[in-house]
Amino acid sequence: MSVKLQAPLGGSVELSPANTASNYTLTVPARTGNVAVDGPAFYGHLGSNQSVTSSVATKVQINVEVFDTASCFNNTGSTVGSIPAYAFLPNVAGYYQVNYSVYSLNAMNAMSARLYKNGSVYAWNEAYGGGSYSSSAGNSILVYLNGTTDYVELYCAITGTSPAFFGRVDLTYFSASLIRAA
Amino acid sequence: MTLYDKIIALYPELTTQDFITVITLQNDSDGKGDYIKEWNHPTLPRPTEEQLA
C-alpha cells in the first residue's frame, strides 16, 4: 500500500514502502524542511603523477572515478555536456560536502590546494615543506551548488624543485556529496 | 623557460608570498599552458605579451 500526495501543479509524490515481511518505523522530525534523497555523490582520484610548473595553480587531473552516482563528475580533460574538465557539476540544487587533498610527490617549499567554484577560488589551504619535505594540503568544506550551472574544480600550486602531484587513490583525491537539498 | 621563470627574470624582487597574495599563475590542464590569471601587485605592472615572449 502506498500514499500518493497530489501536487498543486498536477503531479504527485508517492510514498511507497519496501516489499518486506518485517515492520519498520520511519520517524519524521518535527520540523519544516526538505528531504534530501539519493543526491549526487562522487569520489575520484589522480591516477598517475602529474608534473606541474612551480608556483602555478594547476587544475588537478582527477581522472579516476571510484564512484559517480549521478554522472555529475567529468573525469576527462575535455568538457562533457556542460561539465568542464575534471569538474563536478551536480544536477540537484543544494548544499554539498566537498573534500579534497593533494599530496606533493617531491619535497617542496610550499603548496596550496584550492577549491574553485565557477572558476574562482572558493577555499584555500596551504602546507609547507621548507624545501626538505613533501606534504599534503586539503580541506573539507560545505558549498552551495545550484543544480544547473554551478561547478567545483580542484587546483593546486606547489613551489619547489620538480613539483608534481602524487597520483594515488589515498593521497590526491576529490569528492562531494549532497547533504541538504535547497 | 617557464612563465614563472620569465616573470622572475623580469621582476627578481618578487617573493614566494607575492605568488600567493597578489599574483596568480594558472594552468587549466587543457593543453593551453600557464597564464597569468590575476595580477594585483601594488607597484609592479603586469608584464606585457612582448616581455613574456
Short mmCIF file of all heavy atoms in Angstrom, two decimals, chain B residues 4-15 18-19 23 36 39 41 43-48 51-52:
data_model
loop_
_atom_site.label_atom_id
_atom_site.label_comp_id
_atom_site.label_asym_id
_atom_site.label_seq_id
_atom_site.Cartn_x
_atom_site.Cartn_y
_atom_site.Cartn_z
N TYR B 4 56.67 31.34 -15.03
CA TYR B 4 57.16 31.77 -13.71
C TYR B 4 58.59 32.28 -13.81
O TYR B 4 58.93 33.33 -13.26
CB TYR B 4 57.06 30.61 -12.73
CG TYR B 4 57.65 30.88 -11.37
CD1 TYR B 4 56.96 31.60 -10.42
CD2 TYR B 4 58.94 30.41 -11.04
CE1 TYR B 4 57.51 31.86 -9.17
CE2 TYR B 4 59.49 30.66 -9.80
CZ TYR B 4 58.76 31.37 -8.86
OH TYR B 4 59.31 31.63 -7.63
N ASP B 5 59.44 31.52 -14.50
CA ASP B 5 60.85 31.93 -14.65
C ASP B 5 60.96 33.27 -15.37
O ASP B 5 61.79 34.11 -15.02
CB ASP B 5 61.62 30.85 -15.42
CG ASP B 5 61.76 29.57 -14.63
OD1 ASP B 5 61.71 29.63 -13.38
OD2 ASP B 5 61.90 28.49 -15.25
N LYS B 6 60.14 33.46 -16.39
CA LYS B 6 60.18 34.72 -17.16
C LYS B 6 59.79 35.90 -16.28
O LYS B 6 60.39 36.98 -16.33
CB LYS B 6 59.26 34.63 -18.37
CG LYS B 6 59.73 33.66 -19.44
CD LYS B 6 58.73 33.59 -20.57
CE LYS B 6 59.17 32.57 -21.62
NZ LYS B 6 58.19 32.44 -22.72
N ILE B 7 58.77 35.70 -15.47
CA ILE B 7 58.32 36.78 -14.59
C ILE B 7 59.38 37.09 -13.54
O ILE B 7 59.66 38.26 -13.24
CB ILE B 7 56.98 36.41 -13.92
CG1 ILE B 7 55.88 36.35 -14.99
CG2 ILE B 7 56.62 37.40 -12.83
CD1 ILE B 7 54.56 35.85 -14.48
N ILE B 8 59.99 36.06 -13.00
CA ILE B 8 61.05 36.28 -12.01
C ILE B 8 62.25 36.96 -12.65
O ILE B 8 62.90 37.83 -12.04
CB ILE B 8 61.48 34.94 -11.38
CG1 ILE B 8 60.36 34.39 -10.49
CG2 ILE B 8 62.75 35.11 -10.56
CD1 ILE B 8 60.01 35.29 -9.31
N ALA B 9 62.56 36.61 -13.88
CA ALA B 9 63.66 37.27 -14.59
C ALA B 9 63.35 38.74 -14.80
O ALA B 9 64.24 39.60 -14.75
CB ALA B 9 63.93 36.57 -15.92
N LEU B 10 62.08 39.02 -15.06
CA LEU B 10 61.65 40.40 -15.28
C LEU B 10 61.61 41.18 -13.96
O LEU B 10 62.00 42.34 -13.89
CB LEU B 10 60.27 40.39 -15.93
CG LEU B 10 59.68 41.71 -16.40
CD1 LEU B 10 60.57 42.32 -17.48
CD2 LEU B 10 58.28 41.51 -16.94
N TYR B 11 61.10 40.52 -12.93
CA TYR B 11 60.96 41.16 -11.61
C TYR B 11 61.60 40.27 -10.55
O TYR B 11 60.90 39.58 -9.82
CB TYR B 11 59.48 41.35 -11.27
CG TYR B 11 58.70 42.25 -12.21
CD1 TYR B 11 57.50 41.83 -12.77
CD2 TYR B 11 59.15 43.54 -12.50
CE1 TYR B 11 56.77 42.65 -13.61
CE2 TYR B 11 58.42 44.37 -13.35
CZ TYR B 11 57.23 43.92 -13.89
OH TYR B 11 56.51 44.74 -14.73
N PRO B 12 62.91 40.30 -10.43
CA PRO B 12 63.59 39.43 -9.46
C PRO B 12 63.23 39.75 -8.01
O PRO B 12 63.47 38.91 -7.13
CB PRO B 12 65.08 39.70 -9.73
CG PRO B 12 65.13 41.01 -10.44
CD PRO B 12 63.86 41.10 -11.23
N GLU B 13 62.62 40.92 -7.77
CA GLU B 13 62.26 41.26 -6.40
C GLU B 13 61.00 40.56 -5.92
O GLU B 13 60.66 40.62 -4.73
CB GLU B 13 62.09 42.78 -6.27
CG GLU B 13 60.95 43.39 -7.11
CD GLU B 13 61.40 43.82 -8.49
OE1 GLU B 13 62.13 43.04 -9.16
OE2 GLU B 13 61.01 44.93 -8.92
N LEU B 14 60.27 39.90 -6.81
CA LEU B 14 59.06 39.19 -6.39
C LEU B 14 59.41 38.06 -5.45
O LEU B 14 60.45 37.41 -5.59
CB LEU B 14 58.33 38.64 -7.61
CG LEU B 14 57.60 39.66 -8.48
CD1 LEU B 14 57.04 38.99 -9.72
CD2 LEU B 14 56.49 40.34 -7.69
N THR B 15 58.54 37.83 -4.48
CA THR B 15 58.76 36.79 -3.49
C THR B 15 57.74 35.66 -3.66
O THR B 15 56.74 35.81 -4.38
CB THR B 15 58.61 37.36 -2.07
OG1 THR B 15 57.24 37.77 -1.88
CG2 THR B 15 59.54 38.54 -1.85
N ASP B 18 54.36 36.79 -2.87
CA ASP B 18 53.66 37.55 -3.91
C ASP B 18 52.81 36.63 -4.78
O ASP B 18 51.71 37.02 -5.20
CB ASP B 18 54.67 38.29 -4.79
CG ASP B 18 55.32 39.46 -4.08
OD1 ASP B 18 54.63 40.11 -3.26
OD2 ASP B 18 56.52 39.74 -4.32
N PHE B 19 53.30 35.43 -5.02
CA PHE B 19 52.58 34.49 -5.87
C PHE B 19 51.44 33.80 -5.12
O PHE B 19 50.75 32.96 -5.68
CB PHE B 19 53.53 33.45 -6.48
CG PHE B 19 54.40 34.03 -7.55
CD1 PHE B 19 55.64 34.57 -7.25
CD2 PHE B 19 53.96 34.08 -8.87
CE1 PHE B 19 56.43 35.13 -8.25
CE2 PHE B 19 54.74 34.63 -9.87
CZ PHE B 19 55.98 35.16 -9.56
N ILE B 23 49.57 37.71 -7.03
CA ILE B 23 49.74 37.19 -8.39
C ILE B 23 49.29 35.73 -8.41
O ILE B 23 49.67 34.95 -7.55
CB ILE B 23 51.22 37.27 -8.83
CG1 ILE B 23 51.72 38.71 -8.80
CG2 ILE B 23 51.40 36.65 -10.22
CD1 ILE B 23 53.22 38.83 -8.97
N ILE B 36 48.78 34.12 -16.78
CA ILE B 36 48.55 34.99 -15.62
C ILE B 36 47.05 35.11 -15.41
O ILE B 36 46.34 35.72 -16.21
CB ILE B 36 49.18 36.38 -15.83
CG1 ILE B 36 50.69 36.25 -16.00
CG2 ILE B 36 48.85 37.29 -14.66
CD1 ILE B 36 51.37 37.57 -16.35
N TRP B 39 46.75 39.60 -11.68
CA TRP B 39 47.94 40.40 -11.38
C TRP B 39 47.48 41.60 -10.58
O TRP B 39 46.91 42.53 -11.13
CB TRP B 39 48.67 40.83 -12.65
CG TRP B 39 49.99 41.48 -12.35
CD1 TRP B 39 50.20 42.79 -12.00
CD2 TRP B 39 51.27 40.87 -12.36
NE1 TRP B 39 51.54 43.01 -11.78
CE2 TRP B 39 52.22 41.85 -12.00
CE3 TRP B 39 51.71 39.57 -12.64
CZ2 TRP B 39 53.59 41.57 -11.91
CZ3 TRP B 39 53.06 39.30 -12.56
CH2 TRP B 39 54.00 40.30 -12.20
N HIS B 41 49.63 43.19 -8.19
CA HIS B 41 50.77 43.72 -7.46
C HIS B 41 50.62 45.23 -7.30
O HIS B 41 50.29 45.92 -8.26
CB HIS B 41 52.07 43.38 -8.19
CG HIS B 41 53.28 43.52 -7.33
ND1 HIS B 41 53.86 44.76 -7.07
CD2 HIS B 41 54.00 42.62 -6.64
CE1 HIS B 41 54.89 44.58 -6.27
NE2 HIS B 41 54.99 43.30 -5.99
N THR B 43 52.77 47.62 -6.99
CA THR B 43 53.73 48.53 -7.61
C THR B 43 54.25 48.06 -8.96
O THR B 43 54.62 48.89 -9.80
CB THR B 43 54.94 48.78 -6.67
OG1 THR B 43 55.57 47.53 -6.39
CG2 THR B 43 54.48 49.44 -5.37
N LEU B 44 54.32 46.78 -9.17
CA LEU B 44 54.87 46.26 -10.42
C LEU B 44 53.76 46.05 -11.44
O LEU B 44 52.78 45.38 -11.15
CB LEU B 44 55.60 44.95 -10.17
CG LEU B 44 56.79 45.00 -9.21
CD1 LEU B 44 57.35 43.62 -8.96
CD2 LEU B 44 57.87 45.94 -9.74
N PRO B 45 53.91 46.61 -12.63
CA PRO B 45 52.87 46.44 -13.65
C PRO B 45 52.85 45.03 -14.22
O PRO B 45 53.87 44.35 -14.24
CB PRO B 45 53.25 47.46 -14.72
CG PRO B 45 54.74 47.61 -14.58
CD PRO B 45 55.02 47.46 -13.11
N ARG B 46 51.69 44.63 -14.66
CA ARG B 46 51.56 43.31 -15.28
C ARG B 46 52.45 43.24 -16.52
O ARG B 46 52.44 44.15 -17.35
CB ARG B 46 50.11 43.08 -15.67
CG ARG B 46 49.84 41.73 -16.35
CD ARG B 46 48.39 41.61 -16.70
NE ARG B 46 48.10 40.35 -17.39
CZ ARG B 46 47.09 39.56 -17.10
NH1 ARG B 46 46.25 39.90 -16.13
NH2 ARG B 46 46.89 38.44 -17.77
N PRO B 47 53.23 42.20 -16.66
CA PRO B 47 54.10 42.09 -17.83
C PRO B 47 53.29 42.06 -19.12
O PRO B 47 52.18 41.52 -19.16
CB PRO B 47 54.81 40.75 -17.60
CG PRO B 47 54.70 40.49 -16.14
CD PRO B 47 53.40 41.09 -15.73
N THR B 48 53.85 42.63 -20.16
CA THR B 48 53.20 42.59 -21.46
C THR B 48 53.51 41.28 -22.17
O THR B 48 54.41 40.54 -21.76
CB THR B 48 53.69 43.75 -22.33
OG1 THR B 48 55.10 43.56 -22.60
CG2 THR B 48 53.49 45.09 -21.64
N GLN B 51 57.05 41.26 -23.29
CA GLN B 51 58.02 40.99 -22.25
C GLN B 51 58.09 39.49 -21.93
O GLN B 51 59.13 38.99 -21.51
CB GLN B 51 57.68 41.76 -20.98
CG GLN B 51 57.91 43.25 -21.09
CD GLN B 51 57.49 44.02 -19.86
OE1 GLN B 51 56.34 43.89 -19.40
NE2 GLN B 51 58.38 44.83 -19.31
N LEU B 52 57.00 38.80 -22.12
CA LEU B 52 56.95 37.39 -21.77
C LEU B 52 57.25 36.47 -22.95
O LEU B 52 57.31 35.25 -22.82
CB LEU B 52 55.57 37.02 -21.21
CG LEU B 52 55.20 37.72 -19.90
CD1 LEU B 52 53.78 37.36 -19.49
CD2 LEU B 52 56.19 37.39 -18.80
#
